[in-house]
């Protein structure tokens, strides 16, 4: 547990106890908070597994372990320090996250659900939403202030194309056999491909490897330590994945990426405008981003389209613009 009372500096406690992609999408807001309170100690409440990437952002001084099943709001009653000077809710828009922070008795509480909180804007991109939230409280924040420094850890496969077929929910998980078809195409074009997967995704990664003929040493399943994953993505030639943590990590490191969207539009969670990033999406009714089965819009994306997008970014132009076909949305 973080010793929150070990410093005499006033504390800003920020709640964003979600996943890796959520943490990275929140970096611009966290940096705005850090600049707005230079004399304070910035403490971020989030799951312990994300302590290392949180520190790597350079936007927080310490982390406070806080997690709950799914994306529920965790309790903060194990806070042992003096009441924070300021508490900021970057977790959600409801009373649950506001009340979790109120329970530690901050002198000032910033939240959408607070009496002075700004209205929730559901149609904004996640980065823009939280920066706009802070602006409403007089705290400047730049949605494009999202880059991470290069990690000091060496990459296990510098220059490789990183293919990450997993995702936290089934609705954002494109079929493994389609990833395998893309991997075969990339390898046939002469590219070195490595497969990655998080804890619990070993069977999925193994299935993609077997279908695509991947060599065992190019399969990095089971969840790499964060420093190694960050280095792998930072030194990759391209990252292919669904809307999940490695896609956000690729954006944070300026690595070329192709990201597949389904239940949620990339206008809400996709990469910023850049020739280095392609977001493939078939417009349709929004789905459940935490559903168990692949979203219908995601399933409309075909292997050939994905392979073409990857090869375009990997080609001699090195990320030049690409004209989208009638069914492929190149966002922005």
């Amino acid at each position: 547990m973080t010793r929150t009372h070990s410093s005499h500096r006033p504390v800003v406690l920020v709640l964003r106890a979600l996943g890796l992609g959520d943490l990275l999408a929140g970096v611009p807001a966290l940096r705005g908070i850090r600049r707005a309170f230079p004399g304070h100690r910035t403490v971020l409440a989030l799951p312990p597994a994300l302590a290392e990437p949180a520190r790597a952002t350079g936007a927080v001084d310490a982390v406070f372990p806080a997690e709950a099943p799914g994306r529920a709001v965790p309790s903060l009653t194990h806070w042992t320090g003096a009441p924070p000077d300021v508490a900021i809710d970057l977790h959600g828009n409801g009373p649950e996250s506001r009340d979790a922070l109120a329970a530690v008795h901050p002198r000032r509480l910033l939240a959408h659900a607070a009496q002075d909180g700004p209205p929730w804007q559901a149609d904004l991109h996640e980065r823009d939403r939280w920066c706009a939230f802070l602006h409403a409280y007089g705290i400047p924040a730049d949605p494009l202030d999202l880059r991470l420094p290069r990690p000091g850890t060496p990459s296990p496969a510098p220059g490789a194309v990183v293919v990450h077929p997993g995702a936290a929910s089934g609705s954002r998980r494109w079929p493994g056999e389609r990833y395998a078809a893309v991997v075969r195409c990339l390898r046939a074009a002469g590219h070195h491909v490595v497969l990655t997967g998080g804890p619990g995704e070993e069977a999925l990664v193994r299935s993609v490897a077997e279908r695509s003929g991947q060599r065992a040493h190019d399969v990095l399943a089971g969840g790499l330590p964060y420093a190694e994953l960050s280095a792998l993505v930072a030194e990759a030639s391209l990252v292919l994945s669904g809307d999940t943590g490695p896609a956000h990590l690729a954006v944070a490191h300026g690595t070329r990426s192709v990201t597949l969207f389904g239940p949620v539009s990339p206008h809400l969670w996709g990469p910023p405008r850049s020739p280095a990033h392609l977001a493939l999406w078939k417009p349709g009714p929004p789905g459940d981003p935490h559903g168990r089965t692949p979203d219908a819009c995601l399933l409309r994306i075909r292997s050939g389209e994905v392979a073409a997008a990857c090869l375009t970014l990997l080609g001699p132009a090195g990320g030049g613009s690409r004209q989208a076909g009638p069914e492929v949305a190149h966002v922005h």
Side-chain angles (χ1 to χ4, degrees):
M1 182 184 300
T2 300
R3 302 287 293 179
T4 55
H5 57 275
S6 61
S7 171
H8 296 296
R9 294 162 61 195
V11 168
V12 175
L13 175 63
V14 183
L15 174 62
R16 192 164 176 84
L18 299 163
L20 176 60
D22 303 275
L23 167 64
L24 296 175
V27 165
L30 290 170
R31 288 179 173 160
I33 292 168
R34 184 67 171 267
R35 288 190 294 268
F37 298 96
H40 288 60
R41 189 164 181 256
T42 304
V43 179
L44 178 61
L46 82 172
L50 294 178
E52 188 176 0
R55 293 190 183 98
T57 67
V60 301
D61 295 301
V63 297
F64 181 69
E67 62 182 332
R71 296 173 68 85
V73 177
S75 169
L76 303 178
T77 56
H78 53 299
W79 178 266
T80 60
D85 186 54
V86 183
I88 302 179
D89 181 5
L90 297 185
H91 189 93
N93 67 333
E96 296 85 0
S97 50
R98 175 203 63 194
D99 292 347
L101 286 166
V104 301
H105 307 294
R107 184 185 64 83
R108 185 184 181 199
L109 175 58
L110 282 56
H112 275 291
Q115 282 191 334
D116 63 346
W120 178 263
Q121 301 184 64
D123 59 345
L124 285 183
H125 191 286
E126 185 74 0
R127 291 185 297 270
D128 296 326
R129 175 187 295 119
W130 292 111
C131 289
F133 163 75
L134 293 177
H135 275 282
Y137 280 109
I139 300 174
D142 179 1
L144 296 180
D145 185 13
L146 46 75
R147 292 291 294 271
L148 295 182
R150 292 273 168 162
T153 303
S155 168
V161 176
V162 175
V163 176
H164 186 89
S169 62
S171 62
R172 290 181 281 127
R173 201 175 298 140
W174 200 51
E177 61 270 20
R178 300 191 193 180
Y179 274 110
V182 175
V183 171
R184 290 195 299 270
C185 181
L186 293 173
R187 292 182 58 200
H191 297 286
H192 177 204
V193 179
V194 297
L195 296 174
T196 61
E201 295 177 344
E202 292 86 351
L204 170 63
V205 176
R206 184 167 57 250
S207 172
V208 174
E210 291 172 353
R211 290 172 180 267
S212 60
Q214 278 290 95
R215 297 167 294 186
H217 64 269
D218 287 329
V219 178
L220 307 174
L224 290 172
Y226 173 74
E228 196 171 340
L229 175 64
S230 183
L232 176 69
V233 170
E235 298 299 330
S237 57
L238 180 135
V239 173
L240 166 63
S241 73
D243 176 20
T244 191
H248 294 274
L249 196 54
V251 171
H253 282 309
T255 299
R256 290 175 291 187
S257 68
V258 173
T259 308
L260 314 182
F261 286 83
V264 177
S265 164
H267 292 288
L268 300 177
W269 278 94
R273 182 187 298 273
S274 168
H277 305 297
L278 283 172
L280 303 188
W281 178 55
K282 306 291 188 177
D288 179 3
H290 311 296
R292 295 184 177 181
T293 58
D295 181 78
C297 292
L298 180 65
L299 291 177
R300 288 170 54 201
I301 301 174
R302 299 301 175 186
S303 303
E305 300 170 87
V306 177
C310 292
L311 292 173
T312 295
L313 292 188
L314 290 165
S321 61
R322 172 179 180 267
Q323 294 297 319
E327 293 188 308
V328 179
H330 178 186
V331 176
H332 310 303

